[in-house]
C-alpha cells in the first residue's frame, strides 16, 4: 500500500479519536499540568501561567501542619483496614456461597447481597444515619442485651470501624463475583482426588479452593495497593462530622475542605500532588507485579 | 459425591442460616428507612418504628412531591442523565473503535493507548481539576456534570475489548467492498455490539444518577443541584427546615426525619428499578476487564 493511501485511510480514525482525545487532554492532562499551582501562590484570577512562583513553600508548610500528618495517618489506617477486611470478607463469602447447592437459594442470596453496591453514599449515608442512630435498630438490638445506646457516628475511636463495617456491608457481595469465578475455574477433578484421599470440606477448601483462588486474590490485593491513599471520600464525606475529625478525616476530605471551602488552593494542591504521586507509584508497582505474576493487563 | 458425615450436613445448615442472616442484614437498614418514611412522626418520635410502618401515612411523600425544590432537582438529574449518557457513550464508541484496530491499521494507536492508560493511573486531583473546569467556563452549567466525566476510560477498555472480539473477517470483507471506517463502525460494529452498548448505557445512567460530588463542587446555586446533591445538602444540614407553614396536625404526621427518609428512598428507586437489568449483565461486564489467566 502506498503511504498516501494508507494515511488517507487513517484520517477517519483520527477524526473519531479526536473528540475523546481532546476531552482527555483538557480534563485529565489539564489538571496534571495544573499541579504547578502547588509551587505557586495560586490566584484563580491570574491562572496557572501568571500566578507568582513560591517554590517548595507549600510543601514545607504541609510538613509542619499537624493536620496533614494526622490525615495521612488516618488515611493509611482506614485504607489498610478496608483492604484487609474487604478482601477477607469477599473471599470467605465466595467460598461459602460456592458451597450452596440449591440454585434458587443461591441466586436469591446473590441478588440481595449485590444490590447495596449500586446505591450512592448519599443514600447509604442517609440510611446508616438512621440505622446507627441512638434510637436506631443497632442500638435497639444491643439494648436487648442491656448495652447503653452508643453514638456510633460521633464517637471518634469507633469511627474507623464504622467506615470499615459499612463498606464491608456495601461491597462484600459484589466483591465475591471475581472470587466465585475463580472458584468455578478450579478443575473439579482436584476436588474428587482430594475426596478420594479422604480430605473433608475444610481440608479441600484449604488445599484446593484457596490455592485455586490465589492468583485472583494476589491480583486484587496488588491492584488495591493503589487505593491505599483513598480511604473512601464519598463514604466519609457523607458520614463524618467535626466530632470524629481526629480519626475520620482523611487526605481527600481535608483537601476538599482546605482547597474548596477555605480557598487555600495551593496548599490543598500540594497535599493533592503528594497523594497523586504516591498513589501513582503504588498503582504502577501493583499493576506491574499483577502483570508479571498473573499476566493481568488492562489494555 | 456423597457426604458421609453428619458434620457436613450440620455445616450446610449453618451455611444456609448464615446466608439468610447476611441477606437480612443487607435489607434491614433499607427497610428501616422505608418504615420511617411511611410512619407518622408521632410513632417515630416515640420509638415504635422498627421495620414496619406504624400509624402508616403517605403524608411525607405527598409533602415532598408538592415541593418545587424536589422537582427542580429531579429535572436537573433527568437532563444530566440524558446528556451525560449520550455524550459519554459517543466518546466511548469513538475512542474504542480506533483503539481496537491493530497497529498496522492505526499507526498512532500505541501512543494514544499510553495517553489513556496513563490518565487511568495518574490524576491531577480535586483542586486543579476544579480550576480547569472553572477556566473552561463550565461552573454553574449543566455541562460541568457531563463533559469533565465524559471520557470513562474503563468503559473504553471494555468496549475496545468487545470490538476486538468481533471476527476480523467481518470488517475485512466490508473493506474489500470499499467500506470506510465510519461505515464499518456504524453499520457493522455498532449493530453487533447492541447488547454490550445497552449494558453500558444502564451502568452509565446509574453512574450519572448516583453522582453528587461534582454537583456540590461545580454548582454555585442549590437550584442547579441534581437530585443526589440536593439530597446530600439536606442530609448534612443539622436543621434543614424542610417544613414551612406547619400546622400541629401536620407535625403529628411528618417531621424532618420522616421527610429525609422518604427522600432517601425516592432517590434510591431509580437504581432499584435498574437493578434487575444491571444484574443480568454485570457479572460478565466486570469479568471482561479483569483477570485473564
Amino acid at each position: 500500500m502506498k503511504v498516501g493511501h494508507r494515511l488517507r485511510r487513517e484520517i477517519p480514525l483520527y477524526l473519531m479519536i479526536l473528540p475523546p482525545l481532546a476531552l482527555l487532554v483538557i480534563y485529565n492532562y489539564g489538571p496534571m499540568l495544573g499541579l504547578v499551582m502547588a509551587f505557586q501562590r495560586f490566584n484563580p484570577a491570574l491562572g496557572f501561567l501568571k500566578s507568582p512562583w513560591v517554590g517548595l513553600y507549600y510543601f514545607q508548610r504541609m510538613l509542619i501542619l499537624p493536620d496533614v500528618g494526622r490525615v495521612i495517618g488516618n488515611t493509611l489506617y482506614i485504607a489498610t483496614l478496608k483492604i484487609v477486611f474487604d478482601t477477607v470478607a469477599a473471599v470467605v463469602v465466595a467460598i461459602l456461597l460456592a458451597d450452596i447447592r440449591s440454585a434458587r437459594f443461591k441466586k436469591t442470596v446473590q441478588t440481595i447481597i449485590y444490590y447495596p453496591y449500586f446505591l450512592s453514599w448519599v443514600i447509604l449515608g442517609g440510611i446508616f444515619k438512621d440505622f446507627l442512630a441512638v434510637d436506631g435498630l443497632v442500638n435497639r438490638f444491643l439494648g436487648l442485651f442491656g448495652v447503653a445506646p452508643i453514638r456510633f457516628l460521633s464517637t471518634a475511636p469507633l469511627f474507623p470501624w464504622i467506615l470499615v463495617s459499612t463498606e464491608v456491608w456495601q461491597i462484600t457481595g459484589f466483591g465475591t463475583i471475581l472470587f466465585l469465578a475463580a472458584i468455578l475455574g478450579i478443575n473439579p477433578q482436584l476436588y474428587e482426588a482430594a475426596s478420594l484421599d479422604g480430605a473433608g470440606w475444610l481440608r479441600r477448601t484449604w488445599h484446593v479452593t484457596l490455592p485455586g483462588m490465589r492468583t485472583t486474590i494476589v491480583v486484587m490485593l496488588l491492584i488495591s495497593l493503589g487505593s491505599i491513599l483513598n480511604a473512601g471520600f464519598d463514604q466519609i464525606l457523607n458520614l463524618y462530622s467535626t466530632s470524629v475529625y481526629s480519626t475520620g478525616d482523611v487526605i481527600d476530605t481535608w483537601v476538599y475542605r482546605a482547597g474548596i471551602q477555605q480557598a487555600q488552593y495551593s496548599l490543598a494542591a500540594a497535599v493533592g500532588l503528594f497523594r497523586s504521586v504516591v498513589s501513582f507509584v503504588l498503582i504502577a508497582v501493583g499493576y506491574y507485579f499483577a502483570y508479571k505474576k498473573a499476566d493481568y493487563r488492562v489494555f | 459425591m456423597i457426604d458421609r458425615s453428619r458434620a457436613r450436613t450440620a455445616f450446610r445448615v449453618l451455611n444456609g442460616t448464615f446466608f439468610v442472616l447476611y441477606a437480612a442484614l443487607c435489607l434491614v437498614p433499607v427497610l428501616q428507612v422505608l418504615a420511617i418514611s411511611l410512619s407518622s412522626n408521632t410513632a417515630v418520635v416515640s420509638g415504635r418504628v422498627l421495620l414496619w410502618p406504624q400509624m402508616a401515612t403517605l403524608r411525607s411523600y405527598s409533602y415532598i412531591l408538592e415541593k418545587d425544590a424536589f422537582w427542580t432537582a429531579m429535572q436537573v438529574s433527568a437532563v444530566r442523565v440524558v446528556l451525560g449518557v449520550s455524550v459519554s457513550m459517543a466518546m466511548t464508541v469513538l475512542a474504542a473503535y480506533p483503539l481496537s484496530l491493530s497497529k498496522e491499521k492505526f499507526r498512532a494507536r500505541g501512543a494514544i493507548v499510553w495517553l489513556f492508560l496513563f490518565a487511568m493511573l495518574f490524576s491531577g486531583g480535586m483542586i486543579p481539576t476544579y480550576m480547569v473546569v472553572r477556566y473552561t467556563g463550565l461552573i454553574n452549567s449543566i455541562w460541568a456534570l457531563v463533559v469533565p466525566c465524559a471520557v470513562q476510560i474503563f468503559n473504553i477498555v471494555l468496549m475496545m475489548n468487545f470490538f476486538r472480539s468481533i471476527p476480523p473477517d467481518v470488517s475485512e470483507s466490508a473493506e474489500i467492498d470499499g467500506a470506510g471506517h465510519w461505515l464499518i463502525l456504524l453499520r457493522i460494529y455498532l449493530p453487533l455490539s447492541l447488547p454490550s452498548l445497552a449494558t453500558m448505557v444502564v451502568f452509565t445512567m446509574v453512574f450519572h444518577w448516583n453522582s453528587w460530588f461534582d454537583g456540590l463542587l461545580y454548582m454555585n446555586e442549590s437550584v442547579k443541584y441534581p437530585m443526589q446533591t440536593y439530597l446530600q445538602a439536606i442530609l448534612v444540614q443539622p436543621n434543614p427546615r424542610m417544613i414551612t407553614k406547619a400546622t400541629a396536625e401536620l407535625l403529628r404526621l411528618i417531621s424532618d426525619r420522616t421527610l429525609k427518609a422518604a427522600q432517601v428512598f425516592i432517590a434510591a428507586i431509580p437504581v432499584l428499578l435498574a437493578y434487575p437489568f444491571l444484574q443480568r449483565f454485570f457479572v460478565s461486564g466486570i469479568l471482561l476487564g479483569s483477570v485473564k489467566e
Side-chain angles (χ1 to χ4, degrees):
Chain A
M1 228 184 271
K2 279 185 218 124
V3 177
H5 182 78
R6 236 181 108 169
L7 194 65
R8 220 171 44 230
R9 246 201 94 69
E10 277 181 288
I11 287 175
L13 300 175
Y14 285 103
L15 288 177
M16 283 178 195
I17 200 97
L18 188 63
L21 193 59
L23 288 185
L24 183 82
V25 168
I26 296 171
Y27 291 104
N28 292 73
Y29 285 88
M32 289 182 211
L33 298 178
L35 279 169
V36 296
M37 69 193 284
F39 305 93
Q40 298 170 330
R41 180 165 291 120
F42 184 75
N43 176 345
L46 297 175
F48 298 131
L49 297 177
K50 290 184 183 148
S51 292
W53 294 91
V54 292
L56 295 174
Y57 173 75
Y58 286 103
F59 291 90
Q60 284 161 349
R61 280 210 48 200
M62 179 179 124
L63 290 177
I64 49 171
L65 272 180
D67 269 11
V68 176
R70 194 196 63 201
V71 297
I72 292 174
N74 285 345
T75 310
L76 290 174
Y77 180 63
I78 294 169
T80 310
L81 285 181
K82 280 183 171 180
I83 291 174
V84 172
F85 282 89
D86 289 351
T87 311
V88 171
V91 168
V92 170
V93 171
I95 292 174
L96 294 178
L97 201 55
D99 196 57
I100 288 179
R101 279 178 174 174
S102 154
R104 245 180 77 195
F105 181 66
K106 194 172 180 175
K107 198 146 195 286
T108 313
V109 165
Q110 283 174 305
T111 303
I112 296 172
I113 66 177
Y114 290 167
Y115 94 92
Y117 177 84
F118 293 97
L119 295 178
S120 75
W121 269 105
V122 172
I123 292 175
L124 293 177
I127 289 172
F128 281 118
K129 276 178 189 167
D130 270 326
F131 190 58
L132 299 169
V134 178
D135 62 348
L137 275 177
V138 176
N139 271 315
R140 299 276 191 89
F141 180 72
L142 293 175
L144 297 178
F145 304 97
V147 179
I150 301 167
R151 294 183 176 277
F152 289 105
L153 290 171
S154 46
T155 308
L158 281 181
F159 194 70
W161 294 100
I162 296 297
L163 295 176
V164 173
S165 44
T166 53
E167 186 175 280
V168 166
W169 178 88
Q170 187 203 13
I171 67 169
T172 298
F174 198 75
T176 58
I177 294 175
L178 277 177
F179 295 121
L180 266 179
I183 296 175
L184 286 179
I186 297 172
N187 186 349
Q189 285 175 347
L190 291 175
Y191 286 103
E192 280 164 35
S195 292
L196 284 177
D197 290 344
W201 181 81
L202 209 59
R203 291 183 61 191
R204 287 201 300 270
T205 303
W206 188 254
H207 293 290
V208 182
T209 315
L210 275 176
M213 299 167 81
R214 210 186 63 192
T215 317
T216 308
I217 297 174
V218 169
V219 166
M220 295 324 281
L221 282 175
L222 284 169
I223 287 169
S224 58
L225 256 188
S227 62
I228 197 105
L229 289 187
N230 171 13
F233 177 73
D234 280 22
Q235 180 197 26
I236 297 175
L237 208 65
N238 281 299
L239 289 179
Y240 81 162
S241 56
T242 43
S243 48
V244 292
Y245 277 2
S246 59
T247 58
D249 197 14
V250 294
I251 298 177
D252 289 344
T253 49
W254 187 87
V255 166
Y256 168 61
R257 289 202 316 278
I260 303 291
Q261 295 184 328
Q262 299 158 13
Q264 304 187 59
Y265 301 119
S266 293
L267 180 64
V271 177
L273 175 62
F274 163 77
R275 178 205 189 284
S276 290
V277 169
V278 175
S279 296
F280 170 69
V281 171
L282 290 173
I283 294 174
V285 168
Y287 273 92
Y288 175 76
F289 281 106
Y291 173 67
K292 277 269 165 187
K293 291 248 169 210
D295 198 25
Y296 175 91
R297 65 192 120 181
V298 182
F299 273 87
Chain B
M1 220 182 345
I2 307 158
D3 283 315
R4 286 148 297 184
S5 65
R6 271 191 199 168
R8 187 86 184 99
T9 318
F11 174 78
R12 284 197 192 257
V13 173
L14 268 180
N15 196 18
T17 317
F18 166 76
F19 277 107
V20 170
L21 290 176
Y22 179 20
L25 189 65
C26 286
L27 294 175
V28 159
V30 181
L31 289 179
Q32 190 199 9
V33 168
L34 185 60
I36 290 175
S37 74
L38 289 169
S39 299
S40 298
N41 185 42
T42 326
V44 175
V45 171
S46 63
R48 271 183 287 158
V49 182
L50 290 172
L51 291 174
W52 200 251
Q54 301 294 320
M55 300 163 73
T57 171
L58 286 170
R59 199 65 188 89
S60 293
Y61 286 90
S62 63
Y63 192 86
I64 289 161
L65 297 180
E66 282 160 17
K67 280 183 70 120
D68 288 342
F70 173 82
W71 287 107
T72 310
M74 207 52 139
Q75 203 183 337
V76 174
S77 271
V79 175
R80 171 192 187 149
V81 168
V82 171
L83 289 178
V85 171
S86 333
V87 175
S88 187
M89 289 308 295
M91 293 304 135
T92 302
V93 170
L94 285 176
Y97 177 78
L99 296 182
S100 73
L101 299 175
S102 65
K103 219 179 258 176
E104 285 69 43
K105 284 190 176 160
F106 185 41
R107 281 168 294 173
R109 181 184 186 272
I112 294 175
V113 160
W114 269 105
L115 277 177
F116 278 90
L117 188 64
F118 186 73
M120 237 181 161
L121 304 177
F122 190 79
S123 112
M126 189 190 303
I127 310 300
T129 307
Y130 172 82
M131 290 301 159
V132 170
V133 172
R134 180 165 159 172
Y135 290 143
T136 46
L138 297 184
I139 295 294
N140 242 357
S141 144
I142 184 85
W143 295 104
L145 311 179
V146 173
V147 175
C149 61
V151 175
Q152 296 283 338
I153 303 175
F154 185 72
N155 284 354
I156 294 176
V157 175
L158 286 185
M159 208 67 229
M160 184 189 81
N161 282 341
F162 185 82
F163 283 163
R164 283 188 159 176
S165 71
I166 295 173
D169 349 350
V170 180
S171 58
E172 270 162 25
S173 62
E175 259 175 75
I176 293 167
D177 291 345
H181 287 298
W182 283 104
L183 213 59
I184 293 174
L185 172 62
L186 295 173
R187 292 281 170 80
I188 299 173
Y189 275 49
L190 284 189
L192 279 175
S193 41
L194 278 182
S196 304
L197 284 171
T199 316
M200 214 171 267
V201 164
V202 182
F203 272 92
T204 314
M205 283 169 85
V206 171
F207 165 80
H208 272 285
W209 175 262
N210 275 344
S211 295
W212 59 279
F213 185 62
D214 49 2
L216 187 64
L217 209 50
Y218 302 140
M219 298 295 156
N220 292 334
E221 302 150 39
S222 57
V223 290
K224 295 192 169 168
Y225 282 171
M227 192 65 215
Q228 302 270 341
T229 315
Y230 164 80
L231 183 63
Q232 205 261 349
I234 288 175
L235 291 172
V236 297
Q237 281 164 23
N239 299 300
R241 291 182 183 279
M242 281 182 287
I243 303 173
T244 45
K245 288 187 292 182
T247 61
E249 192 227 356
L250 184 64
L251 288 178
R252 267 203 300 278
L253 293 175
I254 66 171
S255 65
D256 285 335
R257 189 155 178 211
T258 65
L259 290 181
K260 279 182 185 178
Q263 293 187 77
V264 164
F265 193 73
I266 293 177
I269 288 175
V271 181
L272 297 179
L273 288 180
Y275 182 61
F277 297 97
L278 291 171
Q279 205 202 356
R280 206 181 317 156
F281 296 117
F282 63 59
V283 178
S284 53
I286 70 164
L287 292 180
L288 211 61
S290 58
V291 191
K292 294 168 198 140
E293 289 179 61

